[in-house]
Structures are given as C-alpha cells and as structure tokens.
Amino acid sequence: MIRRLPPTVLIASLFVAGCAVGPDYQRPEINLPESHRGASPENTKAPSLADSNWREVFTDPPLQSLIEEALSAGPDALLAAARLREAEALAGVSRAPLWPQGSISLNTSPTIRQPGERFTASYLGGAGISWEIDLWGRYRRASEAAKAELLASEEALHGMQASLVATVARYYFQLSTLHDTLTITERSARNQGEVLRLIKRLSAAGISSAAEERQQESALAATEASLPTLRRQIAETENALSLLLGRNPGAFRLDVPPKLALPGLIPPGLPSRLLEQRPDIRQAEARLMAANARVGEAKAMFFPSLSLTAIFGGVSTSLADVVHGRAPAVASIGPNLLQPLFAGGQIYFNREAAQARLDQAVINYRKTILNALGEVANGLVAYETSDALMETQARRVAASREAMRLADLRFRAGTTNFLEVLDTQRQLLAAETQEAQALLERRQALISIYLALGGGWQATGR
C-alpha cells in the first residue's frame, strides 16, 4: 500500500526549500590606504604593473622559454594542477546529497521458529529511493563551502604560477650575474698574471724586489681562489633551475648576458586593486567564504531532518522467488522525520568550532592583505634604492679603472711603489663585482615588486 504525504507537509517542504540557516557571505570591511607607501604620486592612477603579462615584463626570449617550460611541465605546476582536479571532484561530491539516492538491495531476516518447524528466513529484494529534503540548507551550505574551497584551489594554482614565474626569473638572472662575475674574475686574474710576469722581469733585472713579486703572487692566488667557488655556485644554480623545470640536473647555455629593459618608475596602482590582483588574497577570501558556509552547515544540524523513502520489490521465504520475480510484491513510501535531542554536546561544539574557524579565516584574510601592502611597500623602496645603487657602482667602476690605469703608468715610470698597484687591482675587482651585484639587485627588485602586485599568473587565462 502506498501512503501519500499530507498536503500540508508538501506545502511546508516547498516553502522552506529555499531557506538556508547561517550568515550569507559579505566581504569584511578593510581599511586600505589611498596609495602605497613609496609610490610616486604621478604613478598612483597609472595602470598597475601587475596588469602586464609576464611576457611584457620579462622580454628576453630564453627566459620566456624557460618560464613556459616551468608552467607546463614543472613538478610544482603539475602538482598544483592535480590538487585542483581533486578540489573539482570534491565539489561534485558535495552536491550529491541534494539529489535523490537510488539503490538495489537484497535483505534477509529470520522468522519465528515454532517447535518442530524448520529454520526459515524471509527475503526482501527490490529497488529503493531516498531523498533527504534540504529544509534548512545544510547540504546547500556544504556545497557552497566546497565551491569556495574549489575557488581557493584555483587561486592556489594562480599563486603557484606567479611564484614559478618569479622563481625562474630569479634563477635566470642569478645565473647571468654569476657568469658575469666569473668573467670579471677571470679577466682580473689574467691582468694580474700579466703584472706578475712584468714584476718577474723587473726583479730579474734588479729593478723590482722579491717582496713585490711575492705580493703579486699572493694577490693572483687570492683572485684565482674565488674561481672554484663561483663555478660551484653556477652549477648549483643550474641544478636548481633544472629541477624547477622538471629536467635532470644540467648546464644552461648563456651565449650573451641577458638584457632587461628596466622601467624608471613602477606604477603600483591603487591598494584596493590588490584584493583582485593577488592570488593569495583571493585564496584567503575564498577560504573565508568556505568557513562562513560551514557555520551555516553546522547550525542546520540543530534542526529536524526530513527524508522521503520508497521501496518497491518482493518478499518471500524463498530466495529463488525473490531473485526471479515470483515473490509477492510490496511497496512502501513515506516520510522520515528526525529531530536530534541529545548528542553529548557534539552538535553544539561542532557549531562553536565552525564559528572559531570563521573567526580565524577573517583574521587570516586581514593579515594576508597587510602582508601584501608591506611587500609592495618594500618592493617599491627596493626598486628605487637599487637605481641609486647602480648609478653609484657605475661611477665607482669608472673611477677604479682610471685609478688602475694611472697606477700602472706611474709604476712603470718608477714614480710610485707597487703597493699602489696592488690596491687599485683589489679596488677594481671589488667595484666590478659589486656592479654586477647591483644589477642583480635591480632585477630582483623588479621581480619582487611584480610578484607583490600580483602579476605573473594572468597569462594562463589569456
């Protein structure tokens, strides 16, 4: 016999079907400054550097090729993509309880055995349908949370892509600087070797002393001692870059030191743009949305659950009759209502834990924004000061080269001692090495500010 639901129950079910307990998400109020610290006033309203595709910022073709390889085949990129697929699957799982669930079952139960009777059992087989009506939005909130967590996974992928672009560029420029430093050191060693040969000739002629010869030998040995360290650092950087690309450790060919068109001023855009530009902020907000939905899911546990169940099949003491469809037919349909009364505080504390996680998500969201503002401010200062550093180092190199030339002429003319030559050699080597480091700092500062503004990941969606 099929039992019908009373009309009042159906009407009430339809009326509350659109209800969902718990707070709807609203973005927290954030007190953002009007402009970034260190930003140039004329660049405040200019389009942000982060709006530029990474190919427009890193224009060197070999570097672009390495970045593309890392984004497509690097282990970090593949791992993040796999995590995103997992999140997509879990979002699908969360939507399943919103739909009726069907199944086929075969059950057995013993029957009462009278004295002298054989042991018998009854069998029930058939198809069943169950559907828990989401009266209070418990499953809808769970689905909402899963969608937000999926969005967080997408933003984690974007953040990984931005970080990968920056890391490949850092290794690339670091490798270029190491090659430049190696070239400078080898050139200095050759020059010092020529001076040593001159000193030996002068010493053999009695013009120079053996002490000066030993001093130059010591200076040459000190310069040559740094060469193995530089070669080791080059190999380590190449290996790190290879692993980032998913390659076996190996060397990278750099025929020409890479050139990078460095902008004079960085347009950072408005601080409010960071909320949309930075993947980590977007990820933190997605997690906040998920935590907010979980609060509603936890609150729904306090209310009764209503489910509709139906079964159609046959029952008999003969398993063969049930299997072959000869058993008497049975059918049942009706509601099941469950109201939790006591669960040892589980429902209450589950809600309290969800609320605490929501509070943590709000704090983390605000903290992520503050960290972003700090990174942008630090990046702007680093980029500005690196420009002044490069100018100073360029003047220092020019002065050191001229001092070296004059000291060499004076020594050959016999108007100065050899200590002046040694001193100018050390100063020139230090100046040229630090000039290469200054260029690296300038490039690293550009990478840092570009990453701080949230750039780098948009290329995958274009």
Side-chain angles (χ1 to χ4, degrees):
M1 177 180 181
I2 300 178
R3 294 180 295 172
R4 298 183 180 274
L5 288 176
T8 54
V9 175
L10 290 174
I11 294 174
S13 300
L14 294 175
F15 178 77
V16 300
C19 299
V21 298
D24 292 328
Y25 175 74
Q26 291 183 348
R27 176 179 286 179
E29 292 291 334
I30 304 296
N31 183 21
L32 294 173
E34 295 182 359
S35 62
H36 291 285
R37 180 183 180 183
S40 175
E42 58 268 24
N43 279 345
T44 301
K45 297 183 180 180
S48 173
L49 177 68
D51 294 333
S52 301
N53 186 287
W54 60 262
R55 294 182 180 86
E56 300 170 4
V57 178
F58 307 115
T59 57
D60 193 31
L63 174 57
Q64 290 184 348
S65 177
L66 293 175
I67 292 176
E68 289 172 352
E69 182 178 351
L71 290 175
S72 62
D76 292 340
L78 297 177
L79 182 60
R83 287 172 177 166
L84 179 59
R85 293 197 302 272
E86 178 188 6
E88 291 173 344
L90 293 176
V93 171
S94 70
R95 293 191 296 268
L98 294 171
W99 302 93
Q101 309 294 310
S103 62
I104 297 177
S105 63
L106 178 62
N107 301 318
T108 180
S109 60
T111 58
I112 299 176
R113 178 178 177 273
Q114 299 295 334
E117 294 182 351
R118 294 186 307 168
F119 176 81
T120 58
S122 62
Y123 300 93
L124 171 64
I129 299 177
S130 63
W131 183 24
E132 182 176 347
I133 300 176
D134 196 21
L135 295 177
W136 317 109
R138 173 188 171 190
Y139 295 122
R140 275 170 289 159
R141 290 299 190 192
S143 179
E144 179 183 339
K147 290 178 182 178
E149 290 165 356
L150 172 58
L151 178 60
S153 297
E154 292 176 350
E155 296 306 330
L157 175 62
H158 295 156
M160 182 281 308
Q161 291 169 339
S163 178
L164 200 56
V165 170
T167 304
V168 171
R170 285 195 179 102
Y171 280 141
Y172 184 74
F173 292 132
Q174 182 179 350
L175 188 58
S176 173
T177 299
L178 287 171
H179 278 289
D180 289 345
T181 304
L182 180 63
T183 300
I184 291 169
T185 307
E186 289 175 339
R187 183 174 64 244
S188 179
R190 288 193 301 270
N191 293 337
Q192 290 175 350
E194 292 176 1
V195 173
L196 177 59
R197 286 189 290 273
L198 173 61
I199 294 297
K200 287 182 177 180
R201 289 196 301 268
L202 295 176
S203 178
I207 301 175
S208 180
S209 66
E212 292 174 338
E213 184 178 346
R214 300 289 86 76
Q215 289 171 344
Q216 184 62 15
E217 287 177 347
S218 176
L220 176 58
T223 302
E224 291 177 337
S226 62
L227 295 176
T229 300
L230 288 171
R231 295 190 180 100
R232 174 182 58 79
Q233 292 173 343
I234 288 174
E236 290 175 347
T237 305
E238 288 176 337
N239 292 339
L241 183 55
S242 296
L243 297 178
L244 201 63
L245 303 179
R247 300 184 188 178
N248 293 325
F252 289 85
R253 184 176 179 84
L254 292 178
D255 294 329
V256 180
K259 302 297 181 184
L260 180 64
L262 300 174
L265 294 175
I266 296 293
L270 296 175
S272 58
R273 291 290 310 280
L274 291 180
L275 303 184
E276 306 300 331
Q277 288 173 332
R278 290 212 18 157
D280 59 338
I281 295 179
R282 293 155 62 100
Q283 181 183 9
E285 184 173 17
R287 288 175 174 168
L288 174 58
M289 295 168 62
N292 184 79
R294 294 297 183 193
V295 171
E297 181 186 9
K299 287 183 176 180
M301 297 292 292
F302 285 92
F303 297 93
S305 62
L306 175 64
S307 61
L308 302 178
T309 59
I311 185 170
F312 304 92
V315 61
S316 174
T317 58
S318 171
L319 178 61
D321 290 343
V322 174
V323 172
H324 293 91
R326 297 190 297 266
V330 293
S332 175
I333 184 172
N336 290 324
L337 186 66
L338 177 64
Q339 170 63 55
L341 295 178
F342 178 75
Q346 178 182 359
I347 300 175
Y348 169 80
F349 288 114
N350 182 61
R351 184 197 63 185
E352 291 299 298
Q355 183 62 52
R357 286 190 288 268
L358 175 59
D359 295 339
Q360 295 172 44
V362 172
I363 296 171
N364 182 68
Y365 179 61
R366 296 180 185 275
K367 178 182 177 181
T368 304
I369 294 175
L370 289 175
N371 289 339
L373 292 173
E375 289 177 2
V376 173
N378 292 338
L380 289 172
V381 172
Y383 193 74
E384 180 181 358
T385 54
S386 66
D387 186 33
L389 178 61
M390 283 187 61
E391 292 180 0
T392 302
Q393 290 297 340
R395 293 197 306 269
R396 180 186 175 189
V397 169
S400 297
R401 286 174 180 168
E402 180 62 14
M404 178 64 193
R405 187 185 68 84
L406 294 176
D408 185 64
L409 291 175
R410 286 163 57 85
F411 175 71
R412 291 174 185 270
T415 59
T416 186
N417 58 38
F418 187 65
L419 291 178
E420 182 179 346
V421 177
L422 288 175
D423 186 55
T424 54
Q425 286 177 352
R426 287 191 295 266
Q427 290 184 11
L428 178 58
L429 177 58
E432 290 180 333
T433 301
Q434 291 177 17
E435 183 185 36
Q437 289 296 322
L439 176 59
L440 176 61
E441 288 187 23
R442 179 75 163 166
R443 288 168 168 170
Q444 300 281 30
L446 176 63
I447 297 171
S448 296
I449 188 61
Y450 184 57
L451 183 61
L453 291 172
W457 61 270
Q458 298 94 330
T460 58
R462 293 184 179 182

